[in-house]
Amino acid sequence: MPIRIAGAVSVSALMLLTVGCAGPGAGKAKPGASEAVTPTKPLPMKAVPRPATWTDSHDKAHQLRITPTRLARGSDSDLAHIQLDDDLKGMVPYYLTFSYTNTGKKTVSEVDPARNFSVNGADGQAAEQVSLFQSNPMATGSGLPPECRESGASELAAGATAAICRIFMLPKDQRPATVSYKDDGGDTLIWQVGGGKGGASAGVLPAGRPADGITEDSRSRPVPLLITPKGVRAGSLADLSRFDLDADEKKLIPYYVTMQYRNSGKYDLLPSMSDGVTLRTRGGQTVQKLTLIDIGGPGVGQCPDAVPDEMVKPGGTVTECSIHLLPKGDAPAAVVFTGEGEGAKQVTWRASVDDDK
């Protein structure tokens, strides 16, 4: 049956399609599946090899060389023989083929770098990864391209290379902008697709455009807002030297997201709207606001919590800044505000580190 796996980079869909798997809602091949193969359309992408780290189930790190060699657009009819989850229906499959080489000195067992890969739109929205059990001939011997019908090698001798194909699902109104690999060493490796300018999903606003949103006051009453993104800029870990960051956080780069909020309602607001801000990255990650404990302290001068630091009266405005930690090699793609209360919605803007105002 369909199982979803929440990855560190994105939420992926793993469709387990085995013979005899017929429980309620189970993903399975439909009777009379076609053997026809729909021609795929390769997208421009430079196949640049990169050194990478992959960690096995015993938390042992292995050195690989990975190369995305081909990304091709399929047809939404390619998976017509498979019962997909409702939220995947109508999406377009993209087929990513990549090779991986064991650059270490020992044989690596159960090697599986596929889950570290992501295909992403220009707004940082990661595609849903779909995997099919190779044991089901009805699932694999169908409309999929030949390279996606075989499983890669799970054991690699020193110096050996294997290749594998994975399926990624994107909405019809979105095109891939990047292929990324979340390196277990901490960095994000990114390859541009078609110049990295793939189309964003419908409803994504240009950077800096004012938009309406909704939040709640301290008594859970809805308050309308006018929200204006003011800038996204890179900071330095030295800016956070007063705070106790853990070892993993010290490997990351802070980005500062500045937003202006106008209280368009009739109730006072505590300046805490930045709690609803997230940052999507070119590598397909969604990064929450970093919470720093600084009771009575000066805060982070480069990214003040709220200016002015007081209740926001009806008709008043406040500028807030939130800190988001990104891996090296990654960069902001979109800013997202998620409102609170009845009628609240999510608002998304394209991000640019050159947006400073």
Side-chain angles (χ1 to χ4, degrees):
M1 59 184 297
I3 297 176
R4 291 195 177 277
I5 297 177
V9 176
S10 65
V11 177
S12 299
L14 179 63
M15 308 300 294
L16 302 181
L17 303 174
T18 57
V19 176
C21 179
K28 57 185 179 182
K30 296 178 180 178
S34 171
E35 292 293 333
V37 176
T38 302
T40 57
K41 301 176 182 179
L43 303 177
M45 179 181 64
K46 291 184 179 180
V48 179
R50 302 274 183 84
T53 303
W54 173 78
T55 303
D56 62 24
S57 59
H58 303 289
D59 292 329
K60 184 176 180 181
H62 302 276
Q63 299 307 307
L64 305 176
R65 182 172 63 250
I66 57 175
T67 311
T69 55
R70 187 174 187 266
L71 180 65
R73 186 187 190 278
S75 168
D76 53 4
S77 63
D78 291 352
L79 304 180
H81 62 293
I82 296 171
Q83 292 181 357
L84 297 172
D85 285 353
D86 288 343
D87 59 347
L88 295 179
K89 293 178 180 178
M91 289 190 177
V92 177
Y94 287 83
Y95 305 108
L96 175 66
T97 305
F98 62 91
S99 65
Y100 49 105
T101 301
N102 178 6
T103 57
K105 297 181 179 179
K106 296 181 179 180
T107 297
V108 180
S109 299
E110 300 179 359
V111 58
D112 181 22
R115 293 189 183 183
N116 290 33
F117 273 99
S118 181
V119 175
N120 318 294
D123 60 355
Q125 185 67 54
E128 298 278 3
Q129 185 177 161
V130 175
S131 181
L132 310 179
F133 257 154
Q134 305 300 326
S135 60
N136 186 351
M138 293 182 70
T140 57
S142 57
L144 299 182
E147 64 267 26
C148 282
R149 299 185 189 181
E150 303 295 334
S151 59
S154 62
E155 183 172 288
L156 279 182
T161 298
I164 194 171
C165 171
R166 281 291 182 262
I167 307 167
F168 293 83
M169 307 289 287
L170 279 173
K172 289 183 178 180
D173 63 355
Q174 191 176 49
R175 298 187 305 277
T178 64
V179 169
S180 61
Y181 179 87
K182 186 179 182 301
D183 193 278
D184 287 337
D187 296 354
T188 298
L189 309 179
I190 292 179
W191 295 261
Q192 288 191 353
V193 178
K197 298 180 180 180
S201 298
V204 177
L205 301 174
R209 176 177 292 180
D212 293 325
I214 293 179
T215 189
E216 289 183 332
D217 71 352
S218 59
R219 297 172 61 181
S220 299
R221 295 176 295 191
V223 180
L225 299 169
L226 181 66
I227 311 168
T228 306
K230 289 296 183 179
V232 179
R233 64 192 187 281
S236 167
L237 277 179
D239 302 340
L240 311 179
S241 60
R242 295 179 48 249
F243 301 93
D244 186 18
L245 303 180
D246 63 33
D248 289 335
E249 290 172 333
K250 290 179 180 178
K251 299 176 183 178
L252 306 176
I253 298 174
Y255 279 82
Y256 306 138
V257 178
T258 303
M259 310 278 278
Q260 184 185 78
Y261 304 91
R262 182 182 187 276
N263 183 346
S264 302
K266 56 183 180 180
Y267 306 116
D268 291 358
L269 283 175
L270 183 71
S272 60
M273 281 72 76
S274 65
D275 291 344
V277 174
T278 54
L279 193 61
R280 286 195 202 140
T281 76
R282 294 180 63 219
Q285 299 192 55
T286 297
V287 183
Q288 305 292 329
K289 170 186 174 181
L290 176 67
T291 300
L292 298 172
I293 299 176
D294 190 35
I295 300 175
V300 179
Q302 297 81 357
C303 187
D305 289 337
V307 179
D309 185 14
E310 59 188 28
M311 296 295 288
V312 188
K313 302 292 183 180
T317 61
V318 64
T319 299
E320 297 182 50
C321 182
S322 55
I323 303 172
H324 306 261
L325 298 179
L326 273 61
K328 293 179 181 179
D330 213 339
V335 176
V336 180
F337 175 81
T338 302
E340 295 183 337
E342 183 178 357
K345 61 181 181 179
Q346 191 175 81
V347 189
T348 305
W349 297 265
R350 293 285 292 267
S352 170
V353 293
D354 297 323
D355 282 347
D356 293 351
K357 295 178 175 62

